[in-house]
Amino acid sequence: MSVKEVDNIKMDSTEGFMEDPRYKQCNKEARYGVILGLLNLVWWYVFGYGLGDKPVEGYTYILGFPSWFFFSCVLGAIVFIGLTFFMVDKLFKHMPLDKFTEEEAKEYLKSIEGKEA
Amino acid sequence: MGNLNLSVLIPIIVYFSLMYIIGIYAAKILSKVAKSKGDGSQYMEEYMTGGRDTGGFVLAMTLVATYLSAGSFIGGPGTAYTIGLAWVFLAMSQMPTGYYTVSVLGKKFAIISRKVNCNTITDFLRARYRSNAVVILASLSIIFFITAAMAAQWIGAARLLQGSTGLDYKVALFFFGITVVVHTAIGGYRGVVLNDTLQGIVMTISTVALFAMVLVKGGGITNIIQNMKAIDPGMISPMGVDPGFTSKAWVTSYWVLVGFAVIGLPSVAQRAMSYKDTKSLSSGIKYGTVVSIVLLLGMHLVGAFGSTLVSGIESGDLVVPTLAVSLFPDVLAGIMLAGPLAAVMSTVDSQLLVVVGAIVNDLYVNYIKPQVAEDAKRVSKLTIGTTIVMGIVTFLLAIDPPELMVWLNLFATAGQISTFLWPTILGLYWKKANKEGAIASMIVGMVSYVIFNYNYPRPLGMHAIVASLILSLIAFVVVSKFTKEPSKDIIETFWGI
């Protein structure tokens, strides 16, 4: 984030106050959570019904499980645990949680600006 | 009922004693706070949120243990026993719950709850909407629905104890109830989350052990699956043994009830405002996801696989206890049964705390005697007293459930969700959300859910919660658009620094 953008945050707020600088990242993280949740639902549904909604006689088996169950619930669990770790470790950022004073807010903005530069 | 099974009972007694010890430990920290700070609000914060000091592992365990209740540990595996893998599949749709809930409420919720100093989800709603109607609707929803749900869970736990140890039902109920009430009353939130951690560990051990035992006795996965197929091919199909019951739309829509909408449960949201820092949050999400998936998959597979080992168990609720007792020697069976008991106890202690919060923090201090808040000693007497009274009420409800309680319990989860989900999420992320919208969505959600259930239980083939959440969202947005925006002051408090 450039210095100009930092100024923009202040100017942008039409309400006439400075928006908490942490919220931008917070909103991003909430969005990641929603996206991962939806992907998870799609994976679960597509493998579960895609491979499972047919006569049982035609099933193939992996590790003893019917393949629909293996892909949807067993492999799905492993994949999404992996993705959760990735999301939390790589996409989530640490930040203080206490109420900011104006100085702390500015300092926080500077610190993320430093990291992204 | 004369023949007590001591070798099952003793491990359970030992386990219950541990709960008391943890309660006493937490009570010591609480009394330190009560003595060092004369202010009642400080005490309330410590009692309801543990001083916002919850670390990652504890956060994960308490989250998982709170939302995995008797349903996932007794009822769910019981249904999987009759329906097969389709029910395991349904349960696994809640895979995201471990990361989803806390990510969406997120750090913003934690930051705001520190800014406006809220101890309960109702505090949050009060600060956001500044409306007595919202606070009262929220508190009443908590008091009625959660009390009914608690009583139902106590009944389940007492039956489990009765069935496995031979204790008389009332004795079992008393034994269970007093353990919950004492550790919650004296320990507050800190006592509850520390106990949840122990319970989470017990649940994990018992799940893994039961699963391993079922695998060994059943002769491996391949063998078990083929035996299930021989009982009924539907047992290994996602369509289930009765495709009309486990239809695609209905099974998928369960995701909304047990996954997406869990954010709306006050006992879960409570946890999202009490963690210590973002490091705790990160590890909380990671551990929580792993543990919840292992428990869900493990326990439901135990139920489904169990159908090939012990046949003809009549009541779904007896599947897990029967398997535990018939597969393990007595002493170990007692330890195994501590798992489901832990699942129940860790849910009801959190619920009890939320109800007490609603009565003392949200109603009494706000509307009846605001001056109490100044005095830590009186707040502490009041909270402990209320916890004990609510414990007695729940006990009486569980001995002889009145019709109203049975009815309320039927709507308990959906009732809490329709009261809290949209007002919380939109209050957090939508600046235009106002009190009129919140009230409209609470009423529309609740009323429409009841109407759907009586007249049209599967609208569009889905669980009724989906339609009523959509209607209540529409009500929220439309009403907010046509009424006055929230005051500048509220926006600045929530969005400013």
Side-chain angles (χ1 to χ4, degrees):
Chain A
M1 194 183 286
S2 70
V3 180
K4 207 174 147 222
E5 270 177 279
V6 174
D7 285 340
N8 277 345
I9 288 178
K10 268 196 249 170
M11 308 305 277
D12 276 352
S13 58
T14 44
E15 290 97 344
F17 62 85
M18 179 183 179
E19 185 161 316
D20 194 311
R22 291 168 290 186
Y23 285 0
K24 228 177 149 185
Q25 176 64 21
C26 292
N27 293 345
K28 254 194 221 164
E29 293 180 6
R31 223 169 294 142
Y32 294 141
V34 174
I35 293 170
L36 191 62
L38 290 174
L39 280 179
N40 203 336
L41 180 70
V42 170
W43 176 292
W44 169 88
Y45 186 95
V46 167
F47 280 110
Y49 287 121
L51 297 172
D53 186 10
K54 57 183 179 196
V56 172
E57 289 314 317
Y59 279 0
T60 50
Y61 296 88
I62 297 174
L63 298 177
F65 288 112
S67 56
W68 70 266
F69 185 83
F70 176 81
F71 280 112
S72 171
C73 299
V74 181
L75 188 67
I78 297 168
V79 167
F80 280 88
I81 286 175
L83 287 175
T84 303
F85 275 58
F86 174 80
M87 173 176 85
V88 170
D89 288 338
K90 302 288 170 198
L91 304 177
F92 280 20
K93 298 215 164 74
H94 290 302
M95 59 179 79
L97 295 172
D98 287 317
K99 188 173 163 52
F100 270 169
T101 60
E102 201 160 322
E103 284 73 49
E104 282 170 327
K106 281 182 186 149
E107 217 163 280
Y108 174 81
L109 270 177
K110 256 189 216 155
S111 78
I112 52 173
E113 180 195 335
K115 269 180 206 163
E116 283 176 13
Chain B
M1 279 286 112
N3 38 346
L4 273 185
N5 189 344
L6 279 181
S7 44
V8 178
L9 189 58
I10 288 169
I12 293 179
I13 292 181
V14 171
Y15 170 61
F16 277 21
S17 322
L18 278 176
M19 317 262 98
Y20 289 98
I21 297 172
I22 292 179
I24 292 167
Y25 166 75
K28 277 196 179 144
I29 299 183
L30 250 178
S31 77
K32 241 189 239 163
V33 172
K35 268 181 206 142
S36 69
K37 293 162 189 155
D39 189 354
S41 65
Q42 216 97 38
Y43 179 84
M44 205 64 211
E45 183 176 3
E46 170 66 31
Y47 196 84
M48 296 304 303
T49 67
R52 299 188 212 280
D53 196 26
T54 313
F57 181 67
V58 174
L59 175 70
M61 284 310 201
T62 182
L63 262 173
V64 171
T66 299
Y67 91 86
L68 291 186
S69 60
S72 327
F73 255 70
I74 303 169
T79 314
Y81 175 84
T82 37
I83 290 186
L85 290 185
W87 203 259
V88 186
F89 178 61
L90 179 144
M92 287 305 280
S93 71
Q94 50 190 314
M95 237 189 282
T97 315
Y99 59 83
Y100 184 85
T101 338
V102 224
S103 310
V104 171
L105 284 174
K107 292 164 190 166
K108 197 166 178 183
F109 192 61
I111 292 172
I112 288 178
S113 70
R114 282 165 163 84
K115 269 184 193 166
V116 296
N117 242 328
C118 45
N119 301 324
T120 63
I121 182 78
T122 311
D123 271 344
F124 170 84
L125 298 180
R126 182 183 35 246
R128 178 66 178 79
Y129 298 109
R130 294 195 190 153
S131 149
N132 290 337
V134 169
V135 172
I136 291 170
L137 274 175
S139 313
L140 292 182
S141 159
I142 286 178
I143 294 169
F144 283 103
F145 288 124
I146 302 190
T147 308
M150 271 196 303
Q153 299 250 341
W154 284 34
I155 294 172
R159 291 223 178 101
L160 185 69
L161 272 175
Q162 178 192 20
S164 53
T165 63
L167 280 175
D168 179 63
Y169 174 75
K170 278 184 197 163
V171 177
L173 187 68
F174 181 75
F175 184 44
F176 177 83
I178 198 142
T179 311
V180 172
V181 172
V182 168
H183 87 243
T184 310
I186 63 173
Y189 183 84
R190 196 185 294 271
V192 167
V193 297
L194 288 178
N195 264 313
D196 285 359
T197 307
L198 172 67
Q199 280 150 344
I201 295 169
V202 170
M203 282 153 76
T204 312
I205 294 174
S206 115
T207 302
V208 172
L210 269 170
F211 183 69
M213 199 61 160
V214 168
L215 266 194
V216 171
K217 297 258 171 167
I221 297 173
T222 309
N223 217 357
I224 296 171
I225 296 282
Q226 293 310 319
N227 287 339
M228 283 170 73
K229 188 177 154 196
I231 297 174
D232 185 331
M235 296 279 288
I236 63 164
S237 155
M239 312 309 288
V241 286
D242 172 11
F245 176 62
T246 37
S247 69
K248 278 185 195 175
W250 191 73
V251 168
T252 308
S253 63
Y254 237 80
W255 176 77
V256 173
L257 182 69
V258 295
F260 170 74
V262 167
I263 301 171
L265 296 181
S267 51
V268 170
Q270 183 84 29
R271 272 136 191 82
M273 58 169 71
S274 59
Y275 53 85
K276 190 173 161 193
D277 50 26
T278 53
K279 266 200 190 119
S280 317
L281 176 69
S282 293
S283 46
I285 293 177
K286 291 195 278 186
Y287 295 131
T289 303
V290 174
V291 174
S292 68
I293 287 178
V294 166
L295 294 184
L296 282 168
L297 188 62
M299 266 333 266
H300 285 84
L301 279 178
V302 164
F305 287 1
S307 61
T308 65
L309 295 174
V310 183
S311 59
I313 304 175
E314 295 278 319
S315 155
D317 288 353
L318 291 178
V319 169
V320 171
T322 310
L323 284 173
V325 173
S326 56
L327 295 181
F328 286 91
D330 280 354
V331 178
L332 283 176
I335 298 173
M336 294 302 113
L337 286 175
L341 277 176
V344 180
M345 198 169 321
S346 55
T347 303
V348 294
D349 61 5
S350 319
Q351 289 174 331
L352 184 57
L353 198 63
V354 168
V355 173
V356 170
I359 296 174
V360 179
N361 189 68
D362 304 335
L363 290 180
Y364 192 80
V365 172
N366 265 315
Y367 296 107
I368 301 172
K369 271 210 175 131
Q371 65 269 31
V372 172
E374 319 272 294
D375 182 355
K377 255 200 195 133
R378 285 181 66 193
V379 174
S380 110
K381 268 190 199 146
L382 202 61
T383 42
I384 292 177
T386 311
T387 314
I388 294 171
V389 170
M390 284 319 294
I392 296 172
V393 169
T394 316
F395 180 77
L396 294 176
L397 285 175
I399 283 193
D400 183 17
E403 226 163 283
L404 176 69
M405 186 221 106
V406 177
W407 188 83
L408 281 171
N409 178 50
L410 214 57
F411 299 110
T413 308
Q416 293 172 56
I417 288 173
S418 30
T419 316
F420 290 99
L421 181 68
W422 296 127
T424 309
I425 295 193
L426 295 182
L428 209 49
Y429 292 104
W430 191 39
K431 282 182 185 155
K432 291 203 167 65
N434 66 11
K435 62 178 179 206
E436 288 84 1
I439 296 169
S441 95
M442 285 171 157
I443 295 173
V444 169
M446 199 50 239
V447 172
S448 67
Y449 185 75
V450 173
I451 293 175
F452 278 132
N453 257 290
Y454 278 108
N455 302 308
Y456 198 38
R458 288 188 182 190
L460 301 174
M462 292 185 283
H463 195 286
I465 190 74
V466 180
S468 65
L469 281 181
I470 293 173
L471 288 180
S472 64
L473 176 62
I474 294 173
F476 202 135
V477 174
V478 170
V479 172
S480 288
K481 286 265 185 204
F482 284 103
T483 44
K484 229 175 109 224
E485 283 187 20
S487 76
K488 238 184 115 177
D489 187 34
I490 294 180
I491 300 298
E492 197 165 337
T493 313
F494 275 72
W495 272 270
I497 49 169

